[in-house]
């Protein structure tokens, strides 16, 4: 079951299915445990371009919980954390809820150029050398967000972020809030979407 869920979540990142009534909600499905999962549109930020982020809302027995989803080809360790510094200088720590990995094969290549200088002009030729096939991983991490953390992030905005890697961390800073604004738009849009779409549960009373 975990493999299927991981595959579904990876597909969300790379093949987004848009809902006509709400362009910011990309996925709405029920898991076999009857939990409802709504995922916002995904976004990456130029200072943190190696990570793609989305907001996920999970509803179980009418109780709503929130997660930050992160997709990356960069290594994400099993004990990863995220540190967010807000514009009021408060620091919020997000803990890893679940980490999924998927293997893929990459073919390395390099481009070479050679030049021949003649009497009248210079001729340049370019070629590509194909390298070895290597096995790589791509990662999907789910970080838990409490309602209080979410309120602080959307109220004050994010000035700095650090994301754990195996060796150290990746970091980005902003003079004006971008990440907090993304949290705010995504969560508000998910909640608006839920007011409009009340999906029947296929597993209910079966």
């Amino acid at each position: 079951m975990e493999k299927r869920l991981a595959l579904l979540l990876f597909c969300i990142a790379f093949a987004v299915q848009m809902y006509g009534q709400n362009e910011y909600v990309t996925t709405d499905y029920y898991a076999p445990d009857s939990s409802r999962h709504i995922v916002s549109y995904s976004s990456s930020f130029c200072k943190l371009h190696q990570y793609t982020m989305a907001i996920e809302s999970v509803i179980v027995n009418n109780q709503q919980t929130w997660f930050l989803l992160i997709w990356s080809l960069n290594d994400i360790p099993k004990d990863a954390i995220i540190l967010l510094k807000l514009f009021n200088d408060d620091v919020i720590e997000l803990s890893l809820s679940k980490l999924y990995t998927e293997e893929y094969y990459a073919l390395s290549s390099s481009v070479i150029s050679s030049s021949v200088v003649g009497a009248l002009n210079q001729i340049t030729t370019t070629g590509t050398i194909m390298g070895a096939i290597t096995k790589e991983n791509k990662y999907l991490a789910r970080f838990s967000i409490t309602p209080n953390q979410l309120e602080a992030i959307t109220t004050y905005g994010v000035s700095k972020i650090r994301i754990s890697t195996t060796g150290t961390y990746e970091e980005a800073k902003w003079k004006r809030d971008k990440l907090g604004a993304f949290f705010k738009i995504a969560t508000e849009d998910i909640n608006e979407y839920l007011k409009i779409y009340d999906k029947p549960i296929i597993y209910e009373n079966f």
Side-chain angles (χ1 to χ4, degrees):
M1 175 182 165
E2 285 195 359
K3 280 190 173 181
R4 292 179 181 175
L5 181 58
L7 180 60
L8 175 60
L9 291 172
F10 273 117
C11 289
I12 293 168
F14 301 106
V16 174
Q17 179 182 354
M18 303 301 291
Y19 281 80
Q21 297 297 321
N22 190 319
E23 62 179 323
Y24 297 111
V25 170
T26 62
T27 305
D28 181 359
Y29 71 94
Y30 280 100
D33 63 359
S34 297
S35 60
R36 185 179 181 183
H37 298 249
I38 300 95
V39 180
S40 75
Y41 73 105
S42 57
S43 181
S44 58
F45 301 86
C46 60
K47 293 185 178 181
L48 207 64
H49 60 86
Q50 63 269 55
Y51 297 95
T52 301
M53 301 183 182
I55 300 296
E56 180 186 26
S57 172
V58 179
I59 300 173
V60 182
N61 297 325
N62 293 320
Q63 297 296 314
Q64 186 177 34
T65 54
W66 295 92
F67 298 90
L68 172 64
L69 302 182
I70 292 185
W71 294 272
S72 181
L73 299 181
N74 278 18
D75 180 52
I76 299 178
K78 293 180 179 180
D79 58 350
I81 62 170
I82 291 178
L83 297 179
L84 301 172
K85 180 172 280 190
L86 308 185
F87 277 95
N88 68 346
D89 286 332
D90 284 351
V91 175
I92 289 177
E93 180 176 323
L94 303 182
S95 58
L96 184 65
S97 172
K98 193 73 176 177
L99 178 65
Y100 304 94
T101 61
E102 183 177 288
E103 292 181 344
Y104 71 99
Y105 292 91
L107 178 62
S108 62
S109 63
S110 59
V111 177
I112 60 168
S113 297
S114 60
S115 299
V116 178
V117 180
L120 299 177
N121 56 17
Q122 177 176 310
I123 301 173
T124 300
T125 60
T126 301
T128 301
I129 297 178
M130 306 308 292
I133 296 176
T134 58
K135 184 185 290 187
E136 307 288 347
N137 287 322
K138 52 187 176 183
Y139 301 85
L140 168 63
R142 301 171 83 231
F143 291 88
S144 301
I145 311 172
T146 68
N148 288 340
Q149 289 173 331
L150 191 57
E151 182 179 2
I153 292 168
T154 57
T155 299
Y156 297 106
V158 178
S159 64
K160 187 176 180 179
I161 185 173
R162 283 182 178 174
I163 302 175
S164 298
T165 61
T166 298
T168 174
Y169 56 80
E170 294 290 342
E171 179 178 281
K173 300 177 183 179
W174 294 275
K175 292 182 178 179
R176 291 187 298 175
D177 179 49
K178 293 184 179 181
L179 187 57
F182 167 73
F183 272 69
K184 183 177 177 64
I185 293 172
T187 54
E188 287 179 350
D189 240 68
I190 286 174
N191 284 332
E192 285 299 314
Y193 175 88
L194 286 169
K195 293 177 183 177
I196 300 170
Y197 296 99
D198 183 17
K199 292 181 65 173
I201 303 176
I202 191 171
Y203 304 99
E204 188 173 14
N205 299 324
F206 183 73

